[in-house]
Amino acid sequence: MKHAGAASWLHKLMLSQASRPAPLAAQAAGSEGSTHGETFNGLAAEPRARDGGPQSGEGARTLIKGGFLYAGDDANTVIENSWVLVVGDRIAAIGSTEQPAPECDQVIDAAGKLVLPGLINPHWHESFVAPNFERPDDAGLEPTPYSNGGDIEALGSMFAFISTVGQKLTHAEGVAIARWSMWTQLRSGTTALGDVGSANTADAMAQAALDLGMRIRVSRWGSDIMIPNGAKEFRRIADTQAQADDWAALMETWNDHASGLIGGMPSVMGAFGSSDEQLIALRDIADRYQAPYATHLAPLRNETAAVQAVFGRTPVGRFDALGMLTDRLLAVHTAYASEDEYRRLLETGVNICHSPAHYGMLGEATVSETGQIGRFIKDGGHVSCSTDGDISYIGGMPEAMRAAHLGHNEAQNCNTACPPTLALRMATLNGARALGWRDRIGSIEVGKQADLVVIGIDDWRYRLGNHPLRTFLVAGGSRDVEAVMVAGRIVVQDGRSALFDEAELLTDYRLAVASARARIQRK
């Protein structure tokens, strides 16, 4: 079996493994030598109880005053000189500095700054356990398995391996790795993450979110089959029931967590990585908890023929036949649906998510080849943007917004295809809908949780512009994020974590990843 572009450690390691991994039930939870009492730099790795998690100051009245506010709401509210009153964990009032400011306990001066809703990254993969084999001179660069329509066999094998990596980490390793990985997103303004399958565990990532003070929908990545190139039958590669049991366990532990920060979102890699039994289990568990569920759906040109040859239906057709096209489905990279399927996706209110700043790195043509995601946007579909995931920091939601704004305008040959405020909604309110949290986050509105991002705009880039959000999208980026508030609590201040020493987070990550990589390489 030939695998193109063995550029990542996960892909290289996948080639050294048996093509049929042991069932998850047979793998040691947490791997050899694991103890739940392990710590790095004294930071506990135990999952917190369901009534745990960081608490905001109850009843504290904080006034964020003077900022250029983009509310990201349906009314597209923009206030040049604004104030926002936060009481406890909620937004209590919004106004202009021309109006009398309400009484407060403390004032945050936002003059010369943008005030935006907390950014929401609904499609993300924690993969920081993998080392980086790239070279600075592009030597040995080859097409990835995502290029040229996609190598379905190579991707199926690789994704099956990734779904087992979390069980090879000790719990303490997983938490330390997740803390650093998730910190890179929080630092760049992401207040809520949607895990669509990671090389880590739900327990580790939920614990990391609680520690950092951010939100996440945790998952486990389902992948129980692979389709060899040109095959008429799939090859079973994992225990379907064991993976379904993992979903049930994580939902029982983390869904609707009392902290208000954590939820569950069972996910499968995609139609070419799941049997019908697995898709049915996904549907039933998500229905039982009335939770969102996610998959990569019709993301590659070559996928349709491969899936149809084995199942007699297209990827979208399989989900439709099983009653899985609903407004709780998060469908990622959905660019290769037929015309009938396109209409069904719109009719059923499926949440479409794409990662416009990531495709060029992998050689995917998701935005440009069919233009379908641009059509979803034009036709009023529920489209969000995301960063996707990789083995190192590849940008945050500001970069995803920039790529959405510029890329769709170019691809659709119209500057109104994705204006700045729509790009913002893709990174906030639409992402909140995809994660099932639209009623609590995603916009700056009275009664919603106070998830806010403050961005400095008082420099030379903004001197001659009248649209600071547009200037931020084309000339700014993640490094400009100065402060982040989640549920009324400041978790990033002056570009630094308000809760942890960043150097300690990085040291913990390096210690954890060294021990984890050494063990995985030996197996």
Side-chain angles (χ1 to χ4, degrees):
M1 175 166 64
K2 183 179 180 181
H3 299 279
S8 73
W9 169 78
L10 290 177
H11 198 175
K12 286 183 177 180
L13 194 55
M14 178 269 291
L15 293 174
S16 70
Q17 304 292 315
S19 61
R20 198 184 297 260
L24 290 184
Q27 297 173 2
S31 187
E32 64 212 42
S34 107
T35 64
H36 285 301
E38 280 186 280
T39 63
F40 293 97
N41 277 323
L43 304 178
E46 285 290 341
R48 299 190 183 186
R50 287 182 64 85
D51 61 351
Q55 304 297 319
S56 59
E58 294 184 11
R61 298 172 65 87
T62 300
L63 190 70
I64 304 169
K65 184 178 180 182
F68 201 123
L69 181 143
Y70 286 84
D73 57 354
D74 288 328
N76 200 24
T77 301
V78 179
I79 305 175
E80 183 171 352
N81 293 293
S82 70
W83 53 256
V84 180
L85 179 65
V86 176
V87 178
D89 64 352
R90 296 194 177 271
I91 298 166
I94 302 166
S96 165
T97 53
E98 296 176 356
Q99 303 167 306
E103 293 183 0
C104 62
D105 301 314
Q106 60 178 333
V107 175
I108 296 175
D109 183 6
K113 304 181 191 301
L114 275 178
V115 178
L116 306 178
L119 306 179
I120 297 171
N121 187 355
H123 161 231
W124 179 76
H125 306 280
E126 200 291 280
S127 306
F128 274 29
V129 69
N132 193 336
F133 286 103
E134 68 184 348
R135 293 179 54 173
D137 59 357
D138 294 333
L141 189 63
E142 297 178 2
T144 73
Y146 303 91
S147 297
N148 304 311
D151 184 333
I152 303 304
E153 179 178 351
L155 291 171
S157 295
M158 183 170 65
F159 293 154
F161 170 73
I162 293 172
S163 72
T164 71
V165 170
Q167 282 67 40
K168 296 177 172 68
L169 307 177
T170 70
H171 183 69
E173 288 168 349
V175 172
I177 293 167
R179 281 190 188 118
W180 179 255
S181 177
M182 293 166 64
W183 161 246
T184 68
Q185 290 297 309
L186 180 62
R187 168 63 184 86
S188 57
T190 294
T191 56
L193 287 166
D195 174 23
V196 185
S198 293
N200 210 320
T201 66
D203 283 349
M205 289 188 290
Q207 178 63 49
L210 290 174
D211 291 340
L212 293 169
M214 67 188 304
R215 305 178 192 273
I216 191 171
R217 283 274 187 188
V218 291
S219 187
R220 81 95 60 229
W221 189 337
S223 183
D224 67 340
I225 68 167
M226 64 165 289
I227 299 176
N229 290 333
K232 301 295 184 184
E233 295 181 351
F234 63 74
R235 182 185 304 162
R236 192 171 295 275
I237 55 175
D239 187 319
T240 307
Q241 187 60 51
Q243 293 190 353
D245 290 345
D246 279 356
W247 286 329
L250 79 86
M251 295 299 287
E252 190 61 30
T253 303
W254 295 113
N255 196 46
D256 292 332
H257 190 265
S259 66
L261 299 179
I262 317 295
M265 184 171 69
S267 65
V268 295
M269 179 277 291
F272 66 87
S274 289
S275 65
D276 285 345
E277 294 86 353
Q278 182 163 75
L279 294 183
I280 290 168
L282 174 73
R283 179 197 67 193
D284 291 349
I285 290 170
D287 285 350
R288 185 188 314 162
Y289 291 91
Q290 285 299 290
Y293 51 101
T295 187
H296 303 84
L297 188 63
L300 298 164
R301 185 194 330 129
N302 296 341
E303 182 196 20
T304 297
V307 171
Q308 200 155 20
V310 173
F311 292 97
R313 297 183 189 274
T314 66
V316 177
R318 288 184 70 202
F319 273 72
D320 199 6
L322 293 172
M324 298 179 70
L325 297 186
T326 74
D327 61 3
R328 287 187 291 112
L329 173 61
L330 172 59
V332 181
H333 310 317
T334 306
Y336 293 89
S338 70
E339 285 301 307
D340 287 343
E341 291 168 348
Y342 177 85
R343 286 190 290 273
R344 285 289 293 154
L345 291 164
L346 284 175
E347 289 168 4
T348 53
V350 168
N351 299 282
I352 306 296
C353 186
H354 69 310
S355 307
H358 193 51
Y359 299 131
M361 286 184 277
L362 296 179
E364 297 182 76
T366 312
V367 169
S368 58
E369 186 167 30
T370 67
Q372 194 165 89
I373 292 176
R375 288 180 59 203
F376 278 122
I377 296 168
K378 181 179 178 181
D379 291 341
H382 304 286
V383 180
S384 58
C385 63
S386 62
T387 67
D388 210 326
D390 214 309
I391 61 178
S392 64
Y393 180 68
I394 55 169
M397 290 303 293
E399 287 71 34
M401 283 192 286
R402 174 192 294 130
H405 167 50
L406 299 179
H408 288 297
N409 285 351
E410 192 280 336
Q412 297 295 313
N413 193 27
C414 183
N415 65 302
T416 67
C418 186
T421 53
L422 178 53
L424 175 64
R425 260 198 319 279
M426 285 186 195
T428 53
L429 196 58
N430 291 2
R433 182 186 191 272
L435 295 182
W437 285 339
R438 192 185 191 280
D439 62 336
R440 67 174 80 170
I441 60 174
S443 56
I444 301 175
E445 298 183 74
V446 172
K448 283 197 170 183
Q449 294 263 304
D451 288 13
L452 305 171
V453 174
V454 177
I455 297 164
I457 58 172
D458 188 18
D459 66 33
W460 59 274
R461 293 169 293 176
Y462 296 87
R463 293 290 181 247
L464 301 180
N466 299 321
H467 195 321
L469 178 61
R470 182 197 66 81
T471 304
F472 173 65
L473 291 189
V474 300
S478 291
R479 283 179 59 86
D480 295 310
V481 173
E482 294 184 1
V484 179
M485 174 182 281
V486 179
R489 186 186 196 193
I490 297 290
V491 292
V492 176
Q493 192 165 21
D494 298 324
R496 298 180 179 275
S497 173
L499 307 179
F500 287 112
D501 183 324
E502 186 176 335
E504 286 191 0
L505 289 179
L506 180 56
T507 296
D508 283 353
Y509 164 75
R510 285 173 169 163
L511 290 171
V513 82
S515 63
R517 288 172 182 169
R519 183 185 318 105
I520 295 172
Q521 290 279 24
R522 289 198 306 268
K523 290 193 170 188

